[in-house]
Amino acid sequence: MISKKRNKGFTLLEVMVSVAILAVSLLALMNLQSQSILASARAERLLIATLLAKQKMSEVLLEIEKGIPKGEFPDEKEEKGVFEEEKYPDFFWKLAVKKVELPTPSLPEGGETEVLGQAMQMLSEELSKSSREIRVEVGWMEFEEEEPGLTLITHVVNPLGAR
């Protein structure tokens, strides 16, 4: 009886298939890693933008709070700038202060409801005069383009009434 010896090992085809599978897997892992790095960088920029927006909003609210006892209340205005003093020159801010326009509720006409409607309209007008919407937008420059970032909005009411 003649026994055939079989070589133990891999054929060239098996090696090529395993190298191809390994190459595809490594490409997928590299793509996943690069996406993870980009997401991490965006999260870091959003965190910085959030902290800078909170700081800017606090400055504006403090300024308004200091002015109210002096009879000052801000009119509508818009400003913008960058955070160079805070060592973030690639982050920019936009501030908008607007009067709040409150709608007058509609009531059926006639009798007591007409008087109530007039009172509601007067109240709405007075609240509109003494209310402001403060909007702070913070974004950053990325690849020489403005990235919108985030927006903080709050409302302020002058407790001493309209000026």
Side-chain angles (χ1 to χ4, degrees), residues 59-79 95-100 127-135 154-159 161-163:
E59 289 172 4
V60 170
L61 292 176
L62 220 94
E63 183 181 314
I64 291 172
E65 226 176 87
K66 286 180 182 176
I68 287 177
K70 300 174 189 173
E72 299 170 358
F73 199 61
D75 289 325
E76 292 190 0
K77 69 176 180 178
E78 290 189 15
E79 296 177 2
L95 168 70
V97 178
K98 295 180 181 178
K99 289 184 178 179
V100 176
L127 282 174
S128 293
K129 288 179 189 175
S130 63
S131 300
R132 300 291 183 268
E133 176 185 275
I134 315 294
R135 176 184 298 259
T154 191
H155 293 83
V156 178
V157 177
N158 185 351
R163 32 177 242 179

Side-chain angles (χ1 to χ4, degrees), residues 90-139:
D90 53 335
F91 285 81
F92 59 88
W93 56 269
K94 295 176 186 174
L95 168 70
V97 178
K98 295 180 181 178
K99 289 184 178 179
V100 176
E101 297 296 326
L102 298 174
T104 305
S106 60
L107 297 171
E109 290 185 26
E112 296 173 3
T113 57
E114 191 171 317
V115 175
L116 181 62
Q118 289 175 349
M120 294 295 282
Q121 183 176 1
M122 286 175 49
L123 179 64
S124 177
E125 289 172 4
E126 286 303 311
L127 282 174
S128 293
K129 288 179 189 175
S130 63
S131 300
R132 300 291 183 268
E133 176 185 275
I134 315 294
R135 176 184 298 259
V136 175
E137 297 178 33
V138 175

Side-chain angles (χ1 to χ4, degrees), residues 2 7 10 13 34 52 66 80 102 104 110-111 114 123 149:
I2 302 173
N7 287 341
F10 299 106
L13 182 60
S34 68
L52 291 172
K66 286 180 182 176
K80 57 183 170 179
L102 298 174
T104 305
E114 191 171 317
L123 179 64

